Amino acid sequence: MTDQANPPAVKKLFIKTYGCQMNVYDSQRMAEAMGAEGYVLTEDQAQADMVLLNTCHIREKAAEKLYSDLGRLKPLKAERPDLKIGVAGCVAQAEGEEIVRRMPLVDLVVGPQTYHRLPAMVRGEAPAILTDFPSEDKFDHLPQRRATRRAPAAFLTVQEGCDKFCAFCVVPYTRGAEVSRPVDRILREARDLVERGVREITLLGQNVNGWHGAGTDGDWGFGRLIRALARIPGLDRIRYTTSHPNDMSDDLIDAHRDIPQLMPYLHLPVQSGSDRILRAMNRKHTAAEYLRLIDRIRAARPDILLTSDFIVGFPGETDQDHADTLRLVAEVGFGTAFSFKYSPRPGTPAYDRPEVDGAVADQRLQELQALLTKQQKAAQEGMVGRRLGVLFEKPGRQAGQMIGKSDYLHSVFVEAPDAQVGDLVQVRIVESASNSLRGELAA
Ligand code: SF4
């Protein structure tokens, strides 16, 4: 309980978040946990009493990026030895004590499953390095969600970890086995968010559509969870990411048909269009199975916008495999996609496999990205003339302008002088720019 006579002194916390949306959510939760210790967020690292680097291991050279950021903190720490420096996230999990050995300026190292103990670590009441997978549920030990500012869209983690063991991916090692949060806690957190003005929730998980839970009336799948969330009055939009094709159940596909609050947008990574490479990646499905799945999803929700992830130049990839990927992309037609050249991650099954020649992989990446960019442009231009819902998230730079997200997650700029952040309005799209749309309020 807070001692009202002696409230804790206000201290400033600077958090740098690398990578994925799950890290954004984790950073928010760590900020909330540290808020109870008297820390408020600052955007000025030089003024901070504590700097926390919340790292991601998915992208290339993640550890090197962390060490170079830590190197840049050396002068600040030398000037102010009281400054606390913490490293959180997946690189913290993977590197552990090595971080403090290489960078003694680091005070705390905390993994993704133990960050609820960050306040105790800062107080010196818990070890300075915590990267285990505790049996307790961290979400039970985090403070209730608070609104730090009026934000109509929020993330909500419902699932963590992954049991799929794709040959290129560190997640099963850094985030651990799949764990689904209980139904009642998710619904409670969603209701709390809505009470605080949130109208759109994006459900997060490394393998979010693998979520499953026990309700009072038997087992629940992810589709049923979405149906329950859609019954919360005031929750106007539901999204989720990231999904594995093998966990797209019939019920979830039906939810895309039946639930108007479930936005017509699906990120469904396929990684490659070649069965040989999909097998080598341990993705456990074929290209034809993915295509059949897309047909079923589009039959349920014809206007859905599909996005995906691709890895180019995976060990053993031939020109034919690459051509198979281009063919799959041409057949599906994606609204947007993330594509990367393969880079080996220590500790993963593919780490020691012979790599594709770098120049060849570069060339293939260029070809793939050219096709994906063309599709993205076509998808965006296809929005012109359409009437879409837009949830305003912030004012634009020009007076009277608001910026929001469409049903399809495009950024939309709208002249709306009387509108407020948090308004959900109907907009007629009049123009497609490079990475955004322009719209007018619909009558
Ligand atoms: S399904 Fe996703 S998170 Fe899980 S191992 Fe594969 S790529 Fe990694």
Side-chain angles (χ1 to χ4, degrees):
M1 193 186 277
T2 312
D3 180 349
Q4 294 298 329
N6 298 297
V10 172
K11 294 186 191 148
K12 292 185 181 144
L13 170 65
F14 176 87
I15 304 184
K16 177 171 178 178
T17 305
Y18 306 62
C20 65
Q21 291 159 324
M22 292 201 66
N23 266 16
V24 174
Y25 175 87
D26 289 347
S27 290
Q28 288 168 356
R29 302 301 312 257
M30 284 190 276
E32 288 160 7
M34 293 304 292
E37 299 291 304
Y39 280 83
V40 295
L41 281 177
T42 176
E43 293 185 1
D44 184 356
Q45 184 173 277
Q47 296 297 317
D49 298 286
M50 178 171 177
V51 172
L52 187 62
L53 306 178
N54 188 16
T55 59
C56 170
H57 214 309
I58 297 285
R59 301 282 175 255
E60 199 177 359
K61 299 194 175 83
E64 284 81 349
K65 276 183 197 135
L66 167 67
Y67 288 119
S68 72
D69 280 357
L70 287 171
R72 278 194 286 276
L73 282 169
K74 277 182 187 169
L76 201 58
K77 181 84 171 181
E79 201 182 295
R80 292 198 284 115
D82 286 352
L83 173 69
K84 284 204 186 313
I85 297 180
V87 179
C90 289
V91 180
Q93 185 69 38
E95 298 272 304
E97 288 177 11
E98 176 68 5
I99 294 175
V100 181
R101 198 190 63 73
R102 276 181 65 175
M103 287 286 175
L105 81 172
V106 173
D107 301 288
L108 308 162
V109 177
V110 62
Q113 300 310 330
T114 36
Y115 66 70
H116 58 294
R117 303 199 65 200
L118 190 59
M121 294 168 78
V122 172
R123 290 195 301 267
E125 293 167 8
I129 300 175
L130 271 180
T131 54
D132 48 350
F133 290 92
S135 52
E136 74 216 34
D137 184 345
K138 72 174 174 233
F139 295 105
D140 288 345
H141 297 268
L142 288 165
Q144 204 185 21
R145 303 296 303 271
R146 293 184 295 127
T148 46
R149 62 182 167 190
R150 195 160 177 231
F155 295 128
L156 198 171
T157 291
V158 301
Q159 180 277 336
E160 288 192 295
C162 186
D163 297 340
K164 296 281 192 286
F165 290 93
C166 298
F168 51 82
C169 182
V170 291
V171 165
Y173 313 99
T174 57
R175 292 264 177 174
E178 282 182 22
V179 178
S180 294
R181 290 183 67 195
V183 177
D184 57 337
R185 315 269 167 85
I186 295 168
L187 294 178
R188 194 167 62 210
E189 190 171 331
R191 281 191 212 102
D192 283 349
L193 288 168
V194 171
E195 270 172 30
R196 285 159 178 74
V198 167
R199 304 185 71 170
E200 172 178 316
I201 290 179
T202 301
L203 306 172
L204 298 179
Q206 268 91 24
N207 192 17
V208 70
N209 59 342
W211 178 93
H212 56 90
T216 46
D217 53 352
D219 291 341
W220 286 37
F222 191 57
R224 184 151 181 205
L225 177 67
I226 287 174
R227 286 171 202 276
L229 287 162
R231 285 196 287 273
I232 297 176
L235 180 53
D236 298 302
R237 289 173 148 193
I238 301 169
R239 306 182 189 274
Y240 60 93
T241 195
T242 290
S243 300
H244 191 287
N246 289 3
D247 288 319
M248 285 303 298
S249 66
D250 290 345
D251 190 37
L252 179 54
I253 295 172
D254 289 349
H256 276 283
R257 181 193 61 209
D258 301 336
I259 308 286
Q261 293 95 326
L262 184 56
M263 291 291 97
Y265 178 98
L266 175 60
H267 183 64
L268 196 59
V270 62
Q271 310 295 359
S272 170
S274 153
D275 288 346
R276 228 174 52 77
I277 294 301
L278 287 169
R279 221 173 13 256
M281 288 176 164
N282 194 30
R283 289 290 292 176
K284 301 190 181 86
H285 63 79
T286 64
E289 284 163 348
Y290 183 86
L291 291 170
R292 278 199 293 277
L293 177 61
I294 296 298
D295 285 346
R296 285 169 51 221
I297 294 165
R298 282 193 167 136
R301 184 77 206 232
D303 65 335
I304 201 160
L305 188 117
L306 294 159
T307 76
S308 197
D309 293 338
F310 292 89
I311 293 174
V312 168
F314 189 75
E317 186 188 74
T318 62
D319 287 344
Q320 181 57 53
D321 297 320
H322 174 59
D324 289 346
T325 298
L326 295 178
R327 195 165 51 242
L328 180 138
V329 171
E331 198 163 329
V332 175
F334 292 99
T336 183
F338 302 97
S339 50
F340 302 96
K341 192 167 81 165
Y342 171 76
S343 74
R345 297 287 184 274
T348 58
Y351 182 64
D352 292 326
R353 297 184 196 168
E355 287 181 49
V356 169
D357 177 81
V360 171
D362 283 338
Q363 176 62 32
R364 289 178 188 163
L365 184 62
Q366 272 180 32
E367 285 171 17
L368 176 63
Q369 289 185 338
L371 178 56
L372 290 168
T373 304
K374 209 165 121 192
Q375 292 188 341
Q376 178 178 351
K377 198 162 175 270
Q380 242 187 244
E381 284 170 357
M383 299 290 158
V384 176
R386 288 186 61 183
R387 188 184 158 112
L388 305 176
V390 174
L391 178 60
F392 288 142
E393 295 187 344
K394 58 183 177 185
R397 283 212 189 115
Q398 292 164 23
Q401 189 184 56
M402 297 295 284
I403 305 174
K405 287 283 173 6
S406 77
D407 303 340
Y408 301 96
L409 215 51
H410 291 114
S411 288
V412 187
F413 290 72
V414 187
E415 291 309 312
D418 299 327
Q420 313 245 342
V421 169
D423 286 354
L424 179 57
V425 296
Q426 288 294 306
V427 165
R428 198 174 63 83
I429 303 301
V430 293
E431 191 185 337
S432 169
S434 61
N435 271 316
S436 62
L437 297 169
R438 197 169 66 77
E440 292 170 350
L441 289 174

